[in-house]
């Protein structure tokens, strides 16, 4: 089977969903011939996706333009969508011609819509998978702006062309899309290397490791993390890492992010599918920064509170002494068992059956 997989470059959450599916698909079908179309870096893709693939290193959708991981740039997003949809029929036809030339058997997206529109013209089955779709997200911020009514119509028409739209739980309802199919949560699994990590970092065994991850979209915060007794912060390399002994960049840890997550005592993150589900799958407590404007928030937050030990904080608390209180309240919750995330294999079997 020759498969085109298209992965949105809006952060790393789409890769967190798609990679376990592609890895499960390769286990079911070892002869898989895979091409990845994504604006994500080759290194980011190969860190999560097993086996050989060809990388078409181009963006396939707009997503949203961001000021940072928490704040949407509405004007830049509007301009990007108008440019992306300029002469839409010609663009779709060009991609349909490319799909035919490459002789793909199936097109799998998380969750770009242009390849679905092209696949329909090329007569190639298209399968979508995501906890959201860009039409819903885009409409929440841009629906009333000039030209967006036609653009949203084109987006929904492209999604409707999919043979199936797989919704890994927790997902937005997406009731306007036909052929929806709910599946179990999707997560990658890491290995717990707690003792090895503590030795490598020369930390006493009584320290609490708190991992900060914001889904691959740049975020350096609006202040300085507080000093909390016996708490060590594991932060992205582009964070404000200084000489403080309680703040350690990822690169010093020498482990994949998913293994750091499995080895930590808590995760601090923003609302996002990959972070929430991967933490719940490892039984790691979560403090998350609220995003009341983000359309997924009510669905993801309700699920997380039911399935994992979790708490919500305002962004200002991340840089105040109140953070210690929030962490202690999180650690005092009765522990909940790790969830079972089996959606990847369900999705892989559905792709093969298409």
């Amino acid at each position: 089977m020759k498969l085109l997989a298209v992965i949105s470059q809006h952060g790393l959450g789409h890769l967190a969903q798609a990679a376990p599916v592609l890895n499960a698909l390769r286990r079911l079908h070892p002869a898989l011939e895979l091409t990845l179309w994504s604006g994500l870096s080759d290194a980011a893709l190969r860190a999560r996706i097993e086996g050989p693939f060809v990388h078409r290193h181009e963006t396939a959708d707009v997503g949203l333009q961001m000021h940072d991981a928490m704040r949407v740039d509405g004007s830049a997003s509007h301009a990007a969508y108008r440019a992306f949809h300029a002469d839409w029929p010609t663009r779709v036809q060009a991609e349909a011609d490319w799909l035919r030339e490459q002789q793909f058997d199936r097109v799998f997206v998380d969750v770009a819509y242009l390849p679905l529109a092209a696949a329909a013209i090329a007569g190639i089955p298209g399968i979508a998978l995501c906890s959201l779709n860009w039409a819903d997200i885009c409409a929440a911020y841009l629906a009333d702006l000039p030209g967006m009514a036609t653009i949203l119509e084109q987006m929904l028409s492209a999604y409707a062309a999919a043979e199936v739209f797989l919704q890994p739980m927790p997902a937005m309802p997406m009731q306007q899309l036909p052929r929806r199919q709910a599946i179990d949560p999707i997560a990658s699994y890491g290995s717990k290397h707690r003792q090895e990590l503590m030795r490598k970092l020369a930390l006493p065994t009584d320290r609490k490791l708190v991992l900060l991850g914001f889904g691959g979209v740049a975020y350096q915060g609006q202040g300085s993390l507080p000093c909390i007794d016996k708490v060590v912060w594991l932060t992205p390399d582009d964070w404000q890492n200084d000489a403080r002994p309680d703040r350690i960049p990822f690169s010093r840890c020498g482990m994949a992010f998913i293994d750091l997550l499995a080895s930590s005592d808590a995760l601090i993150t923003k609302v996002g599918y990959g972070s929430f589900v991967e933490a719940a799958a490892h039984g790691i407590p979560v403090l998350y920064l609220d995003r009341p404007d983000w359309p997924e928030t009510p669905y993801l937050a309700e699920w997380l509170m039911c399935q994992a030990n979790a708490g919500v904080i305002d962004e200002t608390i991340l840089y105040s002494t109140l953070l210690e209180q929030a962490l202690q309240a999180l650690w005092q919750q009765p522990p909940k068992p790790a969830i079972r995330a089996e959606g990847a294999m369900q999705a892989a079997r559905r792709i093969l059956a298409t």
Side-chain angles (χ1 to χ4, degrees):
M1 179 173 68
K2 187 172 183 180
L3 176 72
L4 173 66
V6 191
I7 302 175
S8 291
Q9 75 283 350
H10 188 266
L12 296 175
H14 298 275
L15 177 59
Q17 289 180 356
V21 175
L22 296 174
N23 293 337
L25 186 59
R26 199 181 289 277
R27 287 192 288 274
L28 292 173
H29 191 78
L32 177 68
E33 188 177 346
L34 178 62
T35 295
L36 291 178
W37 177 4
S38 178
L40 292 171
S41 71
D42 198 69
L45 295 171
R46 294 189 189 280
R48 289 266 187 168
I49 297 172
E50 301 164 2
F53 57 80
V54 175
H55 183 193
R56 177 182 172 182
H57 193 189
E58 298 175 18
T59 58
D61 57 10
V62 175
L64 287 172
Q65 305 300 302
M66 307 293 293
H67 292 295
D68 66 13
M70 295 288 290
R71 282 160 279 273
V72 172
D73 187 333
S75 60
S77 297
H78 182 218
Y81 271 101
R82 297 195 72 172
F84 191 77
H85 281 258
D87 200 6
W88 179 249
T90 300
R91 184 166 201 169
V92 173
Q93 185 62 58
E95 295 300 343
D97 293 343
W98 179 74
L99 294 177
R100 287 196 195 98
E101 289 169 6
Q102 296 296 314
Q103 297 183 319
F104 291 114
D105 297 302
R106 294 169 182 79
V107 172
F108 167 69
V109 305
D110 189 328
V111 63
Y113 52 90
L114 170 60
L116 293 174
I121 291 176
I124 300 169
I127 303 100
L129 177 145
C130 198
S131 57
L132 58 81
N133 69 81
W134 287 125
D136 281 342
I137 300 296
C138 184
Y141 296 97
L142 310 175
D144 296 331
L145 297 179
M148 289 307 300
T150 298
I151 289 172
L152 289 168
E153 203 173 288
Q154 290 168 342
M155 295 167 76
L156 287 171
S157 177
Y159 281 128
E163 298 285 327
V164 65
F165 196 117
L166 300 171
Q167 297 173 283
M169 294 294 105
M172 296 177 67
M174 298 187 262
Q175 293 177 349
Q176 78 279 29
L177 298 182
R179 296 186 288 279
R180 302 182 311 279
Q181 180 181 331
I183 60 175
D184 287 345
I186 293 175
S188 294
Y189 283 88
S191 300
K192 185 174 182 178
H193 299 295
R194 173 65 177 231
Q195 293 180 347
E196 175 187 338
L197 184 59
M198 300 300 275
R199 284 195 302 269
K200 180 180 180 65
L201 300 177
L203 294 174
T205 57
D206 64 347
R207 295 302 188 263
K208 294 277 194 181
L209 300 179
V210 179
L211 181 66
L212 286 95
F214 287 82
V217 178
Y219 176 78
Q220 297 187 11
Q222 306 296 311
S224 181
L225 293 167
C227 295
I228 300 177
D229 185 41
K230 296 184 178 179
V231 167
V232 174
W233 310 106
L234 306 180
T235 65
D237 287 0
D238 63 356
W239 199 274
Q240 309 100 318
N241 289 302
D242 51 28
R244 278 174 49 177
D246 66 335
R247 199 156 61 191
I248 298 172
F250 293 165
S251 58
R252 276 186 54 197
C253 299
M255 289 184 185
F257 181 86
I258 196 70
D259 294 335
L260 285 178
L261 175 64
S263 305
S264 296
D265 296 289
L267 171 69
I268 296 180
T269 187
K270 64 176 176 61
V271 174
Y273 185 96
S275 299
F276 279 17
V277 177
E278 287 180 349
H282 291 84
I284 302 299
V286 179
L287 272 185
Y288 69 90
L289 276 60
D290 198 12
R291 299 175 74 189
D293 66 312
W294 186 249
E296 272 190 298
T297 294
Y299 310 103
L300 296 184
E302 180 182 5
W303 180 89
L304 184 71
M305 289 297 187
C306 291
Q307 301 294 334
N309 294 98
V312 57
I313 58 174
D314 183 85
E315 192 175 4
T316 59
I317 292 177
L318 187 59
Y319 312 104
S320 78
T321 55
L322 294 175
L323 184 58
E324 179 175 9
Q325 180 180 334
L327 282 169
Q328 292 300 334
L330 184 69
W331 286 324
Q332 288 167 10
Q333 294 179 15
K336 292 179 181 175
I339 66 157
R340 297 184 64 179
E342 299 179 336
M345 187 57 72
Q346 294 169 4
R349 291 195 175 103
R350 183 65 178 83
I351 292 170
L352 284 176
T354 300

